[in-house]
Each structure stands twice: as structure tokens, then as C-alpha cells.
């Protein structure tokens, strides 16, 4: 059976880009593949976090993933730091990836330009991500478009390790969706929608009040030529709305554009499609919130299942690289 793994950081609120680019596809994957999904709390530590907020956000994100449709009885849902093998394999990955490769990562450049304090871990972040993936003999990694470069690096590192030390890791492939892979900011449609707080009017939080979401979509930046067609280069705002509408209604952006002649109805239908997508998620999240102990129990079961796979692969890697067995 195909093995799938993906992860998401518990920093900031889950937004529509995370949902359409990644989480929604995980919900489908869990029924088709042996699937592992993790809340990557260690990755969140690459920027300074308030400890109490990190704990709350980690639990809340797990609840929100379940509200989005991940079923811990079907997939393995866990918290990255609960499975110690991740940090240990990350070291072996740091010893396999080159400084030059890490320096070429565009996410590091973007994030370090904005950060006041640039941790060493922000630089080595892709080595931990490679460990997350390789620990589970992962075939497929469903992610949004912004993770493409990290996935290519993971493949290069796996291939290098295998050729240096013998066949140890499965070389994974990225799975990037056709619609929703790059949801853009509603106010600055040439930037991707992100968890950072710089653009609250441009970002749709999965838990935002539905009225606010309608307003944000109605105020989304478009352009002045009045034409409705999917052309991200020259019409980024309209194309973003079409991508969102398409991803929420299971079509391509070109199909979603058919029949519209004005921006008003396109915005109204996009808002309605987003509200329809988020309403059941918000309702389920409210129910789950009432029982944090149950979520913690489910995460402990997930961590045990994940560890049993990860420990075996870590043992293989330790052995291949020449660490003395104890
Ligand atoms: P993170 O937490 O930033 O994002 C989680 C997922 O959401 C996708 N995504 C988007 N998709 C479409 N449009 C957007 N605007 C948008 N913004 C985010 C991301 O592509 C991602 O799939 N490094 C990863 C977390 C990670 C990971 C892993 C992923 C750690 N270990 C192992 C896969 C496998 C990250 O920071 O994602």
C-alpha cells in the first residue's frame, strides 16, 4: 500500500491556503493510502514561540485537523516531538545535506529577511523536514506548491544517503494539487496567503467568523479591465478567486470562470463556496474543543503507531551510517 506523510506547523491560525493546498487532500488520501500526518511543533520552534501558546496551538491544530475530516481511526495523526526519532534522524540528515543546498532554499531567504532573530534551526529546517518524511518510508507527500523545493531537497538527500551507505530510504514524490496549490493573499494577490499577521484582510482563517470571510472576499483586490479569465500572470486577483472557487467546488479554474461577466457575482459565489466549505469544519471544531483530553488520548495512540514505524527506519539508518549498536 502506498505510504503518505505530510506535516503542518502549529504557528498561527490555519488558513484557507493550508486547507485547499494540503489538508483537504489529506482527508482523501487517508482512505486511499497508509497515511501519517503530523503537527510539526519542532519546526514551529525555529521562530520564538510563547510556550503556553505553542502548547495550545498544537492541541488546537490537531483538533482542527480532525474537524477538517482527518479520522485518527483511519490515519495516523501525531505530534512530531512525541516521536523522538525525528530529531535523531534530523542530525543524520544535517550530516548528509550540504551547506550550499540549504543556502539555496528560498523559504529560508524569505523568512530570514523578515525575522529579527534568525535561529540556526531556521537554516537547517529542511533537514528536519527530510527526516519527517524519510522516517516513514514515504512514497507520496501531499503539500502546497511552496514546499516543492523542500521536497526536491529531501529526494536529493535520500538519493545521496542511499548511494553513500546502501539502500536505506524510499525516495518520496511530492503530490501538489491541480487547484488550490497556491492560494494568494486577497489584498496582495502576488503574495501567497500566509499565517503571518501582516495581512489580516488578505488571509481567510478557517475559524474566522463567516460574516468576516464574506466581507474579505467581497473586498478582494481585482483589476480594472472587467474581464473574467484565469491568467495568474496578468490577472492575479481574479485568478486567485477562480482558483479558490474551483478548489471549493471540485473544478478547474478555467471551468469555474465559465458564465461570469462581472466581478460582483464571481465574488459572491466564491464567498458562498468558501462559507459552505468552512461551516461544517467550524461546527465540528466547536464540539471537539469541549474535550481536549480525548484529543490528547488520540494523539498518544498516534504517536505510538508512528514511533513503531519510525524507530525501525531510524535503526536502519543508524546501522547503515556506521553507528555502533548498543
Ligand atoms: P506549513 O505549516 O507552512 O503549511 C502546511 C501546508 O499548507 C500548504 N500551504 C499552502 N497551500 C496553498 N496555498 C497557500 N497559500 C499555502 N500556504 C501553505 C503548505 O504547502 C503545506 O503543505 N515545512 C512545512 C511543514 C512540514 C512538512 C513536513 C510538510 C514539516 N515537515 C513533512 C510535509 C512533510 C510547512 O512549513 O508547512
Amino acid at each position: 500500500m502506498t505510504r503518505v506523510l505530510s506535516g503542518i506547523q502549529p504557528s498561527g491560525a490555519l488558513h484557507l491556503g493550508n486547507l485547499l493546498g494540503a489538508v483537504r487532500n489529506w482527508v482523501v488520501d487517508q482512505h486511499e493510502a497508509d497515511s501519517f500526518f503530523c503537527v510539526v511543533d519542532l519546526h514551529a520552534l525555529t521562530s520564538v514561540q510563547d510556550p503556553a501558546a505553542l502548547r495550545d496551538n498544537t492541541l488546537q491544530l490537531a483538533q482542527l485537523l480532525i474537524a477538517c475530516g482527518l479520522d485518527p481511526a483511519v490515519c495516523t495523526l501525531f505530534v512530531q516531538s512525541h516521536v523522538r526519532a525525528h530529531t535523531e534522524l534530523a542530525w543524520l540528515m544535517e550530516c548528509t545535506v550540504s551547506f550550499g543546498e540549504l543556502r539555496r532554499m528560498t523559504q529560508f531567504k524569505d523568512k530570514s529577511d523578515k525575522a529579527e532573530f534568525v535561529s540556526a534551526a531556521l537554516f537547517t529546517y529542511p533537514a528536519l523536514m527530510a527526516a519527517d518524511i524519510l522516517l516513514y518510508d514515504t512514497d507520496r507527500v501531499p503539500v502546497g506548491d511552496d514546499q516543492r523545493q523542500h521536497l526536491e531537497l529531501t529526494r536529493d538527500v535520500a538519493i545521496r544517503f542511499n548511494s553513500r551507505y546502501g539502500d536505506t530510504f524510499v525516495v518520496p514524490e511530492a503530490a501538489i494539487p491541480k487547484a488550490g496549490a497556491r492560494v494568494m493573499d486577497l489584498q496582495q494577490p502576488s503574495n501567497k496567503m500566509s499565517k503571518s499577521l501582516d495581512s489580516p484582510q488578505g488571509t481567510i482563517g478557517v475559524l474566522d467568523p463567516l460574516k468576516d470571510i464574506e466581507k474579505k472576499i467581497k473586498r478582494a483586490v481585482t483589476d480594472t479591465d472587467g474581464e473574467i479569465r484565469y491568467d495568474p500572470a496578468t490577472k492575479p486577483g481574479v485568478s486567485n478567486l477562480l482558483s479558490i472557487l474551483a478548489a471549493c467546488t471540485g473544478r478547474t479554474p478555467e471551468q469555474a470562470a465559465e458564465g461570469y461577466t462581472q466581478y460582483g457575482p464571481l465574488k459572491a459565489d466564491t464567498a458562498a463556496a468558501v462559507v459552505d466549505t468552512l461551516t461544517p469544519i467550524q461546527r465540528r471544531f466547536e464540539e471537539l474543543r469541549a474535550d481536549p483530553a480525548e484529543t490528547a488520548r488520540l494523539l498518544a495512540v498516534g504517536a505510538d503507531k508512528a514511533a513503531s514505524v519510525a524507530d525501525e527506519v531510524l535503526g536502519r539508518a543508524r546501522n547503515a551510517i556506521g553507528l555502533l549498536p548498543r
Side-chain angles (χ1 to χ4, degrees):
M1 201 177 189
T2 305
R3 178 71 61 72
V4 159
L5 174 131
S6 202
I8 182 162
Q9 292 197 56
S11 45
L14 191 77
H15 59 71
L16 193 66
N18 300 130
L19 182 69
L20 300 181
V23 177
R24 251 173 36 130
N25 307 307
W26 304 355
V27 174
V28 177
D29 283 327
Q30 69 181 341
H31 298 293
E32 293 170 359
D34 183 17
S35 301
F36 289 72
F37 301 111
C38 59
V39 177
V40 293
D41 53 348
L42 296 171
H43 274 113
L45 291 176
T46 55
S47 59
V48 183
Q49 302 284 335
D50 173 71
L54 179 62
R55 263 188 295 274
D56 286 351
N57 289 341
T58 303
L59 187 77
Q60 232 191 54
L61 180 54
Q63 291 176 322
L64 195 45
L65 293 175
I66 297 171
C68 290
L70 288 189
D71 179 351
V74 175
C75 66
T76 305
L77 177 65
F78 66 102
V79 175
Q80 182 190 36
S81 69
H82 291 176
V83 180
R84 299 292 170 92
H86 288 249
T87 41
E88 190 172 340
L89 188 64
W91 180 254
L92 304 192
M93 296 296 102
E94 283 185 41
C95 297
T96 311
V97 71
S98 75
F99 182 77
E101 283 170 322
L102 291 177
R103 209 170 36 184
R104 285 195 288 277
M105 293 294 112
T106 56
Q107 284 222 339
F108 173 72
K109 286 183 205 154
D110 293 347
K111 288 190 181 170
S112 59
D113 279 350
K114 287 183 203 143
E116 229 166 82
F117 173 77
V118 180
S119 65
L122 187 64
F123 185 66
T124 58
Y125 177 118
L128 177 60
M129 181 161 161
D132 298 340
I133 296 167
L134 300 180
L135 269 177
Y136 295 89
D137 286 339
T138 303
D139 300 297
R140 223 154 49 76
V141 187
V143 282
D145 187 66
D146 62 344
Q147 298 300 316
R148 199 183 283 274
Q149 197 188 27
H150 288 155
L151 256 295
E152 273 160 23
L153 183 64
T154 301
R155 287 172 56 83
D156 291 345
V157 171
I159 291 167
R160 182 173 308 140
F161 191 102
N162 287 348
S163 77
R164 270 191 198 157
Y165 307 112
D167 222 7
T168 308
F169 296 124
V170 171
V171 180
E173 306 241 346
I176 295 170
K178 287 203 180 73
R182 201 168 180 81
V183 176
M184 309 306 274
D185 187 286
L186 298 175
Q187 290 299 318
Q188 298 154 55
S190 45
N191 296 344
K192 70 170 184 181
M193 190 177 282
S194 80
K195 286 174 190 151
S196 71
L197 299 174
D198 317 340
S199 182
Q201 291 309 311
T203 304
I204 296 177
V206 168
L207 295 177
D208 279 357
L210 298 172
K211 285 273 162 257
D212 293 1
I213 294 175
E214 285 172 350
K215 271 191 218 142
K216 287 183 191 179
I217 294 179
K218 288 190 179 145
R219 289 180 193 152
V221 166
T222 50
D223 51 44
T224 50
D225 76 10
E227 254 183 73
I228 298 193
R229 69 193 146 78
Y230 183 68
D231 181 355
T234 61
K235 296 180 68 69
V238 170
S239 300
N240 190 35
L241 292 173
L242 288 170
S243 296
I244 293 172
L245 178 61
C248 290
T249 54
R251 290 177 292 171
T252 65
E254 289 82 3
Q255 287 166 339
E258 282 166 20
Y260 289 108
T261 52
Q262 287 179 320
Y263 293 160
L266 170 65
K267 286 182 170 177
D269 287 356
T270 305
V274 171
V275 165
D276 280 354
T277 303
L278 298 186
T279 302
I281 295 175
Q282 294 194 354
R283 210 173 286 141
R284 255 178 284 151
F285 178 72
E286 279 312 314
E287 291 160 16
L288 290 161
R289 231 149 88 112
D291 196 354
E294 173 59 8
T295 310
R297 189 191 67 77
L298 292 169
L299 290 173
V301 172
D304 286 344
K305 267 166 70 187
S308 68
V309 177
D311 288 345
E312 202 267 313
V313 180
L314 175 65
R316 214 192 289 154
R318 287 179 54 105
N319 190 40
I321 208 168
L323 297 177
L324 184 68
R326 49 170 279 186

